[in-house]
Amino acid sequence: MLLSFQNIHSQKDFAQNQLQRSTNASFHRQLSFPSLLLNKVHTFLHNGSKMTIPTVSYKKFSEPETRPPTDSSRRWVVIYLLLAASLLTTLVCWNQLSRGYIMEVFVDSNDTPPNHTEYAKMARYLVHKAEWVSMGSLSTVAAVKGFPMVNIISVADSARGAKSTGVLYFYLTMLDYTAQDLAKDNRLTVMLSLDQDLYCTKKGVDPMEPTCARIMISGTLVKINATESPEEYDFGSSAMFSRHPAAKKWIETDGHNFFLCKLNIVQIAVLDFYGGPHYVTVDEYMAADPDDKETAVSNTNARRVPTRFTVTPEVDTTAN
């Protein structure tokens, strides 16, 4: 029995020792964790690895608030682009609403026709302004031989922006019926209207109204030879290339054989007001300066009828 009691006491002591060891080990682990962490960090840094440690800055209550610098140039570029787009949109809308009048301001605000009584200047003005004409010839086509035939022909009396010469230059090709007609009979007539750029239409004047000026120039075709008249050939071709860049492709196209021509004027008829046409001599026409214009009358209803069209009261010869 004494042996049994000793065994029980020994087991009790053993259990207490084990519990004490377990408690000490747990406490030791808790105490050694910071040191283990430091050892880990030391090993990590010692091996050359990079570790980013965020930094936090604190502001005192008395310090002003600071913000990181921004790229202001980008912001201004965006603002400028938005303003430019807005302005462009406004101009387009304005031009549409005003039926294109705003564009006339940018093109030429002083481009007004001469007074309707200046017939020679009106003719020179329309010729210089024209980009194309309606050209009439006598047809050589069998079905309509001898009938009047008309065609659209690009013309130029000078380079764009240059002074008026009054001479109409143009290109023709024998592939076109107008050149074929003129090869048989070189007589022709061209018509030019003030409404070619919708000048009359924009002002509410019908193109057929006499107040919408038009001229009819009759004459003969003259072919310009580069060898015989090199200066005039260079001038005429340069004038056409300036106003009609496509003309360069015409003469470069194989098989078309475009050739330079001019109109030798015989008669000029001007219709720019009520009462019928006025006939201008070639000398009057060539002497006129379309850039030297008197003040044009803007109100067509206020135009005075020329003297030669004033109605003379009839005398009653039956009265005694």
Side-chain angles (χ1 to χ4, degrees):
M1 186 170 181
L2 179 60
L3 180 59
S4 176
F5 179 77
Q6 289 178 351
N7 291 336
I8 293 173
H9 184 71
S10 299
Q11 291 178 357
K12 182 178 179 181
D13 291 341
F14 177 79
Q16 289 178 351
N17 290 336
Q18 290 294 108
L19 179 61
Q20 184 66 30
R21 288 180 179 179
S22 176
T23 302
N24 292 338
S26 175
F27 181 72
H28 178 71
R29 283 194 301 270
Q30 292 178 2
L31 291 178
S32 62
F33 178 76
S35 60
L36 291 174
L37 179 60
L38 291 175
N39 290 334
K40 292 285 187 181
V41 173
H42 181 268
T43 303
F44 185 82
L45 295 176
H46 184 266
N47 291 335
S49 301
K50 296 181 180 180
M51 180 175 66
T52 303
I53 301 176
T55 58
V56 180
S57 60
Y58 297 92
K59 178 177 70 67
K60 297 181 180 180
F61 289 103
S62 60
E63 294 180 355
E65 182 178 359
T66 58
R67 295 182 179 181
T70 58
D71 188 359
S72 60
S73 60
R74 290 185 178 180
R75 180 176 58 187
W76 283 111
V77 168
V78 173
I79 293 175
Y80 288 146
L81 290 176
L82 291 176
L83 289 176
S86 177
L87 180 60
L88 181 60
T89 303
T90 303
L91 287 175
V92 171
C93 294
W94 188 10
N95 183 53
Q96 292 294 330
L97 293 175
S98 61
R99 299 179 63 185
Y101 293 142
I102 183 66
M103 297 306 296
E104 292 182 354
V105 175
F106 291 110
V107 174
D108 189 354
S109 59
N110 297 321
D111 185 19
T112 55
N115 192 286
H116 75 284
T117 59
E118 299 179 281
Y119 310 115
K121 287 184 180 179
M122 180 65 77
R124 285 288 298 271
Y125 171 80
L126 292 180
V127 166
H128 185 56
K129 189 180 180 68
E131 300 288 333
W132 53 269
V133 298
S134 298
M135 182 175 292
S137 59
L138 296 177
S139 179
T140 56
V141 178
V144 289
K145 187 174 182 179
F147 280 64
M149 186 57 65
V150 68
N151 199 359
I152 296 297
I153 302 296
S154 297
V155 297
D157 83 322
S158 67
R160 191 178 302 280
K163 290 184 66 66
S164 168
T165 66
V167 180
L168 285 172
Y169 295 95
F170 49 94
Y171 277 106
L172 291 179
T173 172
M174 292 303 295
L175 297 178
D176 187 76
Y177 58 83
T178 299
Q180 297 173 14
D181 295 343
L182 295 175
K184 296 291 184 180
D185 187 338
N186 68 343
R187 293 176 298 173
L188 62 92
T189 296
V190 298
M191 188 187 72
L192 303 85
S193 171
L194 183 60
D195 201 43
Q196 186 171 118
D197 61 351
L198 302 181
Y199 179 90
C200 301
T201 301
K202 292 175 182 177
K203 294 184 177 297
V205 180
D206 192 271
M208 191 172 175
E209 283 286 331
T211 51
C212 184
R214 78 206 68 165
I215 61 173
M216 289 67 68
I217 304 178
S218 299
T220 57
L221 174 74
V222 176
K223 184 178 179 180
I224 302 177
N225 190 293
T227 304
E228 297 177 357
S229 306
E231 293 184 1
E232 186 174 20
Y233 184 87
D234 291 341
F235 180 87
S237 58
S238 297
M240 283 294 296
F241 296 157
S242 173
R243 297 203 186 198
H244 307 282
K248 292 183 179 180
K249 296 181 180 179
W250 303 344
I251 62 176
E252 293 173 357
T253 303
D254 293 336
H256 286 68
N257 301 321
F258 276 89
F259 50 92
L260 184 65
C261 306
K262 71 175 180 179
L263 172 58
N264 182 34
I265 302 175
V266 175
Q267 177 179 273
I268 304 167
V270 179
L271 178 63
D272 60 354
F273 198 65
Y274 302 106
H278 293 265
Y279 294 96
V280 177
T281 65
V282 177
D283 292 338
E284 292 172 342
Y285 171 80
M286 297 305 297
D289 183 2
D291 296 326
D292 182 18
K293 295 178 295 220
E294 296 178 0
T295 304
V297 180
S298 59
N299 186 0
T300 56
N301 295 326
R303 288 179 170 179
R304 183 175 57 84
V305 179
T307 304
R308 76 186 188 94
F309 293 116
T310 303
V311 178
T312 303
E314 295 183 359
V315 179
D316 188 0
T317 57
T318 60
N320 293 327

